[in-house]
């Protein structure tokens, strides 16, 4: 679907926010907190951006984009867009939803990972649900939506932490997660190191996996550089060749085997597939290091193989 950029504004240093509306002013498809859209950029790249406005908004989507020094072209192309222009987007999809039964929710954001957390805070606040939001950034100037958070009806539930703070006001993750009650749900979004630290702290504090939810904010997984290999379908024994310039997902699709995908960048986890034997060459940012070293699952949209064959649970 096509949308118009009705507003572009600086949300923090190196971060622009974009307000997207229907070209005719019509309502947009509804979304829930944690949802993202796929944006097709003028250069043909497709990128996922979380919606960060209140899901009760019916006429607009708001996304925020950090200009990434290691960008492969996505964030730079986004920052070059101006208000008034048209953009091709998908309907909202949600791989990071809130869980309604939570007695309390702990929202943890690192950097630009705050975007889905913003809409979660809006939704929880509107529902009168118990929650707290902890948001870590490098500095005040790099903290997206500071003014919006200061003015929000849930401002008293928001805690900000800056890496450059002189007073040592860092987030004490271990203590925070250790004192949470067992019926609390944890939502984490941010860079992989931030997520890994939160996952580790949750594990050390004995959190139930079912109460821990995470989403990476972006990915620039390594591409190519690996030779040909084969994948074997455990259900039929069929062997499929994967050429060096073809993803496993594409090779499977050519052979008539469909695996659900969404981001196709190793971010969302939609294509997660069990590996029964062989050693995957993990290229995603979805799995944690510990999960990668287990070598029993991989993301075939971007990952490859270090062994001549991978046997897949397909
Ligand atoms: Fe998103 Fe593979 S489709 S990780």
């Amino acid at each position: 679907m096509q949308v118009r950029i009705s507003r572009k504004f600086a949300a923090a240093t190196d971060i622009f926010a974009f307000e997207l509306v229907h070209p005719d002013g019509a309502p947009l498809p509804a979304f829930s907190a944690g949802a993202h859209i796929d944006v097709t950029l003028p250069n043909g790249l497709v990128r996922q951006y979380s919606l960060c406005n209140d899901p009760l908004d019916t006429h607009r989507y708001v996304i925020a984009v950090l200009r990434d020094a290691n960008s492969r072209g996505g964030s730079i192309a986004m920052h070059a867009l101006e208000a008034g222009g048209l953009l091709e987007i998908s309907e909202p999809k949600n791989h990071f939803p809130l869980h309604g039964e939570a007695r309390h929710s702990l929202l943890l954001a690192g950097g630009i990972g705050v975007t889905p957390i913003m809409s979660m805070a809006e939704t929880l606040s509107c529902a009168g649900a118990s929650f707290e939001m902890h948001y870590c950034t490098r500095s005040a100037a790099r903290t997206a939506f500071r003014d919006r958070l200061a003015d929000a009806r849930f401002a008293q539930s928001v805690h900000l932490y800056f890496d450059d703070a002189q007073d040592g006001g860092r987030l004490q993750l271990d203590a925070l997660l250790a004192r949470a009650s067992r019926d609390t749900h944890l939502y984490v979004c941010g860079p992989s190191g931030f997520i890994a630290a939160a996952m580790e702290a949750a594990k050390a504090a004995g959190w139930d996996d079912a109460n821990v939810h995470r989403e990476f904010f972006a990915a620039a997984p390594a591409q190519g550089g690996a030779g040909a290999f084969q994948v074997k379908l455990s259900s039929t024994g069929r062997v499929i060749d994967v050429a060096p310039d073809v993803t496993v997902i594409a090779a499977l699709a050519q052979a008539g085997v469909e695996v659900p995908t969404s981001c196709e960048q190793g971010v969302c986890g939609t294509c997660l597939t069990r590996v029964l034997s062989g050693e995957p060459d993990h290229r995603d940012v979805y799995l944690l290091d510990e999960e990668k070293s287990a070598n029993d699952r991989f993301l075939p949209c971007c990952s490859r193989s270090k062994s001549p064959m991978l046997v897949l649970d397909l």
Side-chain angles (χ1 to χ4, degrees), residues 261-271 299 301:
T261 60
S262 178
C263 71
E264 300 196 1
Q265 293 180 85
V267 173
C268 70
T270 305
C271 67
L299 281 309
C301 66

Side-chain angles (χ1 to χ4, degrees), residues 3 31 37 53 106 109 112 134 146 148 164 236 248-250 305:
V3 288
F31 70 98
I37 52 172
N53 52 312
L106 213 43
I112 194 64
H134 298 265
R146 258 179 93 202
R148 181 176 149 194
D164 66 354
T236 59
V248 178
I249 284 287
S305 181

